[in-house]
Amino acid sequence: MRFLKNVLATIVGLFLFCLLFFFVIVIIGVAAGSSNTDVVTVEENSVIELDLSKVGSDYAGTFHSDEFAFLNSEPKEGLTDVLNAIDAAQSDDKIKGITITNNTTLLGMAQNKALRDKLKEFKKSGKFIVSYSDTYSQTDYYLNSVADTLYLNPVGELDFKGLSSEVMFYKDLQEKTGIKMEVIRHGKFKAAVEPFLSNEMSPANREQISTLLGSIWSTVSTDIAESRNLPLDSINSIATRLGARTPSMAKASKLIDKIGYIDQYEDGIRHALNLNKDEEINTVSILDYIPTGELNDIMALTEDKIAVIYAQGEIKGGKGTLTSIGEIAIRDALKAAIEDENVKSIVLRVNSPGGSALASELMWRDIELAKKEKPVVVSMGNYAASGGYYISCNADRIFTEPTTITGSIGVFGVLPNFTQLSENVGIHTEQVNTHENAAGYSVFTPLKENTRAIIQEGVESVYDTFITRVAEGRKMTKEQVDALGQGRVWSGTDAVKNGLADEIGGLDDAIAYAAKLGETEEYSTENFPKFERNLEDFFSDASGLPFLQSKEDFIKEEVGEENYRVIERFRRVSQLKGTQVILPYEITIR
């Protein structure tokens, strides 16, 4: 028996040793990677490969640790980093052009617009942009259409059919499952909760989505028409009749230039670079080129700075993360910018559909206080809606992309109720109270009318505060804001027309305007928030260990993308706490 115990102890010891050794190796590898300051050497006569597969957010974050130096990092995979690199490439004599090959993007409409505009600037330097794809999705084609020459595989296809938004409704599902979502809202356009109340789209919701799609399509089609030197009517005609669905049709309609294989495409690049057919093309990935561009610009750094604070993701309150917005992170960022005498002004880059009303109000207050110290300018990304607009409305100036989804000035509360479900499975609930409202709200009993009235009162109070903040920030009357509010969403183009934003422009435009308000002409930018990271965060984050799969990716793989969307909607709604100012989840533009 003792012998077996010793053998077992030895096996367990070896297992623990191997496990510990594995984690030590991982940590050493990460430490080595994070401390690696090598910059890729750019050869003469090089071409940048615009690979955007890892680029999804405007800001990739800045992380620091007081305990482990190897956890310190400043990833360079944000869209802002890519845009700055393209800027640097314009004046880099070693870079002759940009190739976009089989590009698939995670970027939203406004981000694609910003990148497309930057590529247009790049072309003014006289350098080329070429594109090849086996298949072009509509979103990818919008970006790629800026190229001088577009190739499509002979057996590929081009998706070009206009914009669509699909909405799913869950009223029947609630009745079948016994899980009901009690909804209290203000705003006839507040479509975030409509799928729980009906089985079909309301006229008000159909109107706002139709107007939004029309405005965004106007920008997309106009940009494509300009780049392809085609009349706008032709662009709309091609979309209507699916006139570019095959390579031959796409070429005949002039949406592409050449039908060919990847080797023929590469031969075209060699020709542009004056290379022989057997010579290698010198390429550098855009993500590898970013540090090179930064080194080229290092001599231009000055003492004056513009602080760029990124508010990206859903507003959930608290500390905040790289993908969710918390008032603590924003407050700390504003404080750091105010206390740094070299920071002359602040740009708040908002890419958020909204969220917690309380957190939105707290951030509004912090921005109001910051404005008394230094100018604050807002730059809107894909979304700056509901709570995202709440934290934008009091800025000194608001810049928006034409395809930004904004507005959605409305309020709602959602309470899950399991009364019918519990009765279906044989559970019955009763209460004993000392006072009429002592129990508050219970998910296992029907929502009482007096409880609903009290919650509705809170929703109305938040809505009144919301439109008051907007009215003060935009110098409107509350009646004017209410007419634009009621939860209705607007494109950036329409927001400028109706006064919810000041000017069409990207992040660069907002930074330049902020510099003007800060009375500086020579400046650099500093990014915020800066997040703390400990060892537990590192190992719990799948992005820290690239060979681990996130739980979201695992669920999508098992149940499928469409089923995951249904699960995610119910999960997010069930986790909502307090009154919400958030954009409709179902506005997914295809």
Side-chain angles (χ1 to χ4, degrees):
M1 184 63 70
R2 177 176 292 180
F3 172 75
L4 292 175
K5 288 183 179 179
N6 290 337
V7 170
L8 183 60
T10 301
I11 293 173
V12 171
L14 286 172
F15 173 77
L16 292 175
F17 172 78
C18 291
L19 188 64
L20 180 61
F21 179 76
F22 168 76
F23 281 117
V24 168
I25 291 298
V26 169
I27 291 172
I28 291 173
V30 173
S34 64
S35 62
N36 185 7
T37 56
D38 291 343
V39 175
V40 172
T41 300
V42 180
E43 304 289 342
E44 296 288 344
N45 212 29
S46 287
V47 176
I48 289 177
E49 291 182 328
L50 193 66
D51 180 3
L52 303 173
S53 58
K54 295 182 180 179
V55 181
S57 301
D58 291 329
Y59 176 46
T62 299
F63 302 92
H64 66 90
S65 171
D66 295 331
E67 299 174 339
F68 302 100
F70 73 84
L71 294 179
N72 296 338
S73 66
E74 190 170 356
K76 295 298 181 182
E77 296 175 355
L79 177 61
T80 304
D81 302 308
V82 171
L83 298 179
N84 291 339
I86 295 173
D87 260 339
Q90 290 187 57
S91 56
D92 188 342
D93 292 337
K94 294 181 179 180
I95 299 298
K96 303 303 179 183
I98 293 176
T99 173
I100 314 174
T101 308
N102 279 321
N103 173 69
T104 55
T105 175
L106 303 173
L107 302 175
M109 277 292 189
Q111 290 173 316
N112 269 303
K113 169 67 175 171
L115 179 55
R116 199 179 187 283
D117 288 346
K118 186 63 68 176
L119 291 171
K120 282 177 62 179
E121 288 180 24
F122 177 85
K123 288 170 62 176
K124 293 178 182 177
S125 66
K127 302 178 181 183
F128 64 81
I129 299 177
V130 289
S131 165
Y132 169 89
S133 188
D134 294 327
T135 60
Y136 285 109
S137 72
Q138 189 162 247
T139 300
D140 292 333
Y141 179 76
Y142 173 55
L143 176 63
N144 283 252
S145 65
V146 75
D148 301 295
T149 306
L150 280 86
Y151 279 72
L152 180 60
N153 187 287
V155 292
E157 59 183 33
L158 194 160
D159 183 26
F160 194 76
K161 56 180 184 284
L163 302 181
S164 174
S165 180
E166 187 176 80
V167 182
M168 294 186 292
F169 295 87
Y170 310 104
K171 187 172 182 292
D172 282 352
L173 178 64
Q174 292 177 96
E175 293 175 357
K176 290 178 180 179
T177 61
I179 301 174
K180 182 180 180 182
M181 295 295 178
E182 298 284 1
V183 175
I184 301 94
R185 62 175 173 171
H186 182 108
K188 63 180 180 180
F189 289 98
K190 205 63 188 175
V193 293
E194 186 175 274
F196 298 106
L197 301 174
S198 175
N199 284 322
E200 59 185 15
M201 192 179 294
S202 67
N205 194 17
R206 184 174 294 278
E207 175 192 343
Q208 72 162 341
I209 293 178
S210 178
T211 301
L212 178 67
L213 291 178
S215 180
I216 293 175
W217 176 253
S218 176
T219 297
V220 169
S221 58
T222 299
D223 284 346
I224 292 174
E226 179 185 337
S227 292
R228 299 304 301 167
N229 195 26
L230 290 170
L232 188 57
D233 288 347
S234 295
I235 295 295
N236 285 309
S237 174
I238 294 167
T240 298
R241 56 187 173 83
L242 301 179
R245 62 185 181 273
T246 67
S248 58
M249 294 174 74
K251 189 173 186 297
S253 65
K254 299 183 180 180
L255 290 192
I256 64 167
D257 300 290
K258 296 185 178 182
I259 299 172
Y261 295 97
I262 187 71
D263 60 290
Q264 295 171 311
Y265 170 70
E266 291 173 348
D267 285 342
I269 296 176
R270 287 188 181 91
H271 178 74
L273 296 173
N274 295 317
L275 298 176
N276 295 324
K277 275 200 171 186
D278 58 348
E279 287 186 85
E280 285 289 322
I281 301 171
N282 294 326
T283 61
V284 56
S285 166
I286 187 67
L287 297 184
D288 288 335
Y289 182 75
I290 286 170
T292 303
E294 290 180 341
L295 287 178
N296 291 340
D297 291 341
I298 198 165
M299 297 304 295
L301 297 180
T302 64
E303 286 190 355
D304 288 356
K305 294 185 290 187
I306 307 298
V308 182
I309 301 175
Y310 291 87
Q312 53 189 26
E314 192 173 319
I315 298 174
K316 295 183 178 179
K319 187 178 179 180
T321 67
L322 187 61
T323 56
S324 67
I325 306 170
E327 72 275 3
I328 295 175
I330 299 299
R331 184 178 301 131
D332 289 346
L334 289 168
K335 181 180 178 183
I338 291 169
E339 292 179 350
D340 187 343
E341 62 181 19
N342 292 328
V343 172
K344 302 305 177 184
S345 52
I346 299 167
V347 172
L348 182 68
R349 171 68 171 184
V350 179
N351 195 354
S352 172
S356 165
L358 174 59
S360 300
E361 168 69 10
L362 295 175
M363 282 182 272
W364 172 89
R365 176 61 178 171
D366 288 330
I367 293 166
E368 191 71 7
L369 294 174
K371 279 172 53 185
K372 296 178 180 179
E373 305 294 331
K374 295 179 181 180
V376 177
V377 176
V378 159
S379 167
M380 293 180 170
N382 293 325
Y383 300 96
S386 218
Y389 187 76
Y390 201 134
I391 65 175
S392 304
C393 68
N394 59 333
D396 293 302
R397 195 164 186 82
I398 297 176
F399 286 80
T400 178
E401 295 284 2
T403 54
T404 296
I405 297 176
T406 187
S408 193
I409 302 168
V411 183
F412 72 88
V414 177
L415 303 169
N417 191 282
F418 306 135
T419 302
Q420 189 60 52
L421 174 63
S422 61
E423 290 181 357
N424 290 346
V425 297
I427 299 174
H428 304 276
T429 304
E430 292 189 10
Q431 296 174 342
V432 179
N433 306 313
T434 60
H435 295 76
E436 182 180 354
N437 298 305
Y441 174 71
S442 169
V443 297
F444 297 109
T445 61
L447 178 62
K448 299 176 182 177
E449 283 306 313
N450 65 323
T451 303
R452 178 182 291 276
I454 292 169
I455 297 173
Q456 184 72 51
E457 183 181 282
V459 166
E460 297 299 334
S461 176
V462 172
Y463 182 76
D464 185 70
T465 301
F466 193 169
I467 64 172
T468 299
R469 302 297 185 230
V470 176
E472 292 171 350
R474 302 305 302 161
K475 296 179 174 55
M476 296 178 174
T477 65
K478 288 174 64 175
E479 290 72 23
Q480 288 174 315
V481 175
D482 185 46
L484 298 171
Q486 299 290 328
R488 178 162 185 166
V489 294
W490 304 92
S491 69
T493 298
D494 289 336
V496 171
K497 292 177 182 177
N498 63 35
L500 292 180
D502 295 297
E503 191 172 338
I504 295 293
L507 181 57
D508 285 349
D509 299 303
I511 291 172
Y513 190 87
K516 181 180 177 181
L517 292 182
E519 299 179 349
T520 179
E521 295 181 356
E522 300 291 333
Y523 57 87
S524 60
T525 59
E526 184 173 0
N527 295 332
F528 297 91
K530 299 183 179 181
F531 301 99
E532 293 183 9
R533 176 187 276 172
N534 56 39
L535 202 58
E536 182 181 351
D537 295 332
F538 175 76
F539 283 112
S540 65
D541 180 8
S543 65
L545 299 173
F547 51 81
L548 294 181
Q549 185 182 37
S550 71
K551 62 180 180 181
E552 289 81 6
D553 290 338
F554 176 79
I555 296 172
K556 286 180 185 178
E557 188 176 292
E558 292 300 313
V559 305
E561 186 75 32
E562 293 299 318
N563 291 329
Y564 178 78
R565 286 176 59 196
V566 177
I567 296 170
E568 180 66 6
R569 168 175 268 280
F570 269 94
R571 184 188 69 82
R572 293 175 71 184
V573 171
S574 66
Q575 290 181 346
L576 294 179
K577 296 180 180 179
T579 306
Q580 299 293 307
V581 283
I582 192 168
L583 182 73
Y585 295 135
E586 69 275 2
I587 295 188
T588 302
I589 298 174
R590 298 176 175 177

